[in-house]
Each structure stands twice: as C-alpha cells, then as structure tokens.
Amino acid sequence: MGFAVSDELLGTVVPIVVYWIYSGMYMCLGSFEKYRLHSKSDEEEKNLVSKLTVVKGVLFQQLLQAAVAILLFTVTGGHAGASSQQPSSFIVLASQFVTAMLVMDTWQYFLHRYFHENKFLYRHLHSWHHRLVVPYAFGALYNHPLEGLLLDTVGGALSFMLSGMSPRTSIYFFSFATIKTVDDHCGLMLPGNPLHIFFRNNSAYHDVHHQLYGSKYNFSQPFFVMWDRILGTYMPYSLEKRAEGGFEARPTKEFKED
C-alpha cells in the first residue's frame, strides 16, 4: 500500500515539476525569433495580464489541484476504477494511454466549447485564459481556478479511471499530457518537433483559437482534432512566414470573412 500511495503522490507532483522545466526550456528557445508565431513585442503589448500574475495564478491552481487530487486518492484509496498493478504488456499499456487520451480530449472539447458558447461562463471563467492573446509556454495552465478544477482535474480523473491505468502509469501519462499542453501554448514552430509530426493539434492550431477570428473554432485539446472535424468547428489555416521573421498562422480564404 505504501508503494501505491507513493506512485499516486508522484502522479500529482511530477507533472507540476515537468510543467515548469518544460515551459522554462521553451521560454529560452523563444529568443529565436525565426521560430516564433508572434514577435516578442506582440507578446508584451497584446496580452492583457502580466507574466508575474500568470506565474502566481498557475502556481495557485497547481497547488489547489494537487490538494484536490490527493484528497480524492485518500478518500477512494486510489483504486476507484483503476488497476493497482502495472501492466507488463506494451499493448495493454498503449491501449490505456490511447483510451485516456480519447477520454481527456472528449471531456475537454465539450467543456471548453461550452465555456465559449455560454456568455456567463466565458465572461467569468474562461476569459481568464484568453487574456493571453499571444500564448506562451508557462501560461498554458493560466485559467480561473474553478475552470482548472473542472477542465483539468475532473478530466484527468475521468481519464485515469476509465482507462484503468495504474498509479505508476498515470505518472507517465499526466507528464506527457502536461508536455503536450505546454507545447500547444509555446508559440513556437520548431523544426523536427516530434509532437508536431505525430499530432495535428499543435502550437499553430491552438494559436488560431487564441486569435479573435478563431475563437469559435479549434476547441480540441490537447491531443487530437477529431471533435473539431466531426462537429464542424475545425478552422484550416496556412503557416506563412512573417516579414520580420518567424511564422503566422492565417485562416484559409473561406474563413477570413467569418
């Protein structure tokens, strides 16, 4: 039991550490203007909240979510709907990962979309995240604390339980989900980025959503784009070079007048 509890705690703490290490790496890479989706001056001028406020907000949210997660593990014993044994088969492990990814994507798509379509929820909750008109790495989890609990904590709990993964497996899954979320908000299109090779839902795709013309599109996060395609909220875009360096994600012609 002691070993299982240790894995459950690691599944909560390790992704937080990964978040700050990975986002810090991206912030350093952000000095390479030729890979940026927005200039540094745009990042400073267009965003509606200071970076210090973002850091404080993310830290508070992470502490709150960690406390809730630990409480849930304590109450449920850590085994509600999940396996206490680490699978030895790669196929089983892969199926648990894919299942968890699909569950998380489904939960976040519909809730995220509803946060946009419900004016009250957008004004009082989700608009916090869209204060970052120009997203950057460590702002990936800058949300209203209640939204963070509903979107990330509940979504993570459902992914964990419905996939049947063990606490040990969840350490790797939630760390990977954290890396993917940070990458989606990093504002960089790095050559050879493996996440961009395997996932169409990338930093340019999500950057479109943060722009005014894309706020009704590209709700899918953090892995696939299937729900946007199925339900007609997919906005195709082209990636074009900016004259001053870097790239810009622009909607295709049929969306420019939308």
Side-chain angles (χ1 to χ4, degrees):
M1 176 64 71
F3 186 75
V5 170
S6 178
D7 279 348
E8 291 155 7
L9 290 174
L10 285 173
T12 301
V13 174
V14 170
I16 295 176
V17 176
V18 167
Y19 180 88
W20 290 106
I21 292 176
Y22 208 69
S23 61
M25 178 189 75
Y26 269 132
M27 293 306 293
C28 293
L29 291 173
S31 60
F32 295 98
E33 196 72 29
K34 62 181 179 180
Y35 301 133
R36 294 177 64 95
L37 290 169
H38 298 271
S39 67
K40 288 183 180 179
S41 59
D42 281 347
E43 184 178 295
E44 296 297 330
E45 295 169 7
K46 292 184 179 181
N47 286 336
L48 307 177
V49 62
S50 71
K51 289 182 177 178
L52 179 59
T53 300
V54 169
V55 169
K56 290 179 179 179
V58 172
L59 285 172
F60 175 77
Q61 182 166 289
Q62 287 176 326
L63 289 173
L64 179 62
Q65 291 180 353
V68 171
I70 292 171
L71 178 62
L72 288 174
F73 277 127
T74 302
V75 172
T76 64
H79 305 302
S83 170
S84 60
Q85 300 298 319
Q86 180 70 8
S88 56
S89 168
F90 175 79
I91 295 177
V92 172
L93 188 64
S95 67
Q96 290 177 343
F97 253 67
V98 172
T99 300
M101 290 163 74
L102 291 173
V103 170
M104 181 172 286
D105 265 27
T106 300
W107 175 261
Q108 293 210 358
Y109 173 85
F110 287 100
L111 197 59
H112 181 200
R113 181 174 176 176
Y114 187 61
F115 280 149
H116 274 271
E117 293 178 345
N118 184 295
K119 293 181 179 180
F120 177 85
L121 291 178
Y122 183 83
R123 184 183 306 114
H124 295 284
L125 295 183
H126 193 56
S127 63
W128 279 41
H129 184 65
H130 282 271
R131 292 172 183 172
L132 294 178
V133 180
V134 177
Y136 50 78
F138 66 81
L141 293 182
Y142 178 67
N143 297 312
H144 187 286
L146 180 57
E147 178 183 346
L149 288 174
L150 293 173
L151 201 67
D152 299 321
T153 306
V154 175
L158 289 172
S159 301
F160 174 69
M161 291 186 292
L162 295 178
S163 67
M165 64 174 56
S166 69
R168 172 65 62 85
T169 302
S170 75
I171 299 173
Y172 300 102
F173 174 72
F174 290 124
S175 294
F176 176 61
T178 297
I179 288 172
K180 184 64 175 63
T181 301
V182 170
D183 184 84
D184 290 346
H185 290 81
C186 71
L188 298 170
M189 291 298 291
L190 298 171
N193 185 335
L195 294 176
H196 294 184
I197 295 173
F198 291 104
F199 295 95
R200 296 298 302 275
N201 196 334
N202 55 36
S203 52
Y205 185 87
H206 194 67
D207 180 78
V208 168
H209 174 73
H210 271 260
Q211 307 313 311
L212 182 60
Y213 57 74
S215 61
K216 297 179 181 179
Y217 300 93
N218 294 10
F219 297 114
S220 292
Q221 56 185 34
F223 300 109
F224 308 114
V225 300
M226 61 178 186
W227 286 117
D228 277 319
R229 287 190 175 275
I230 292 171
L231 297 176
T233 54
Y234 176 82
M235 175 180 277
Y237 62 91
S238 61
L239 200 61
E240 302 177 16
K241 289 188 176 181
R242 289 187 284 115
E244 64 272 25
F247 301 97
E248 181 180 357
R250 296 180 179 176
T252 52
K253 290 182 180 179
E254 61 266 31
F255 285 88
K256 288 183 178 179
E257 302 299 326
D258 196 336

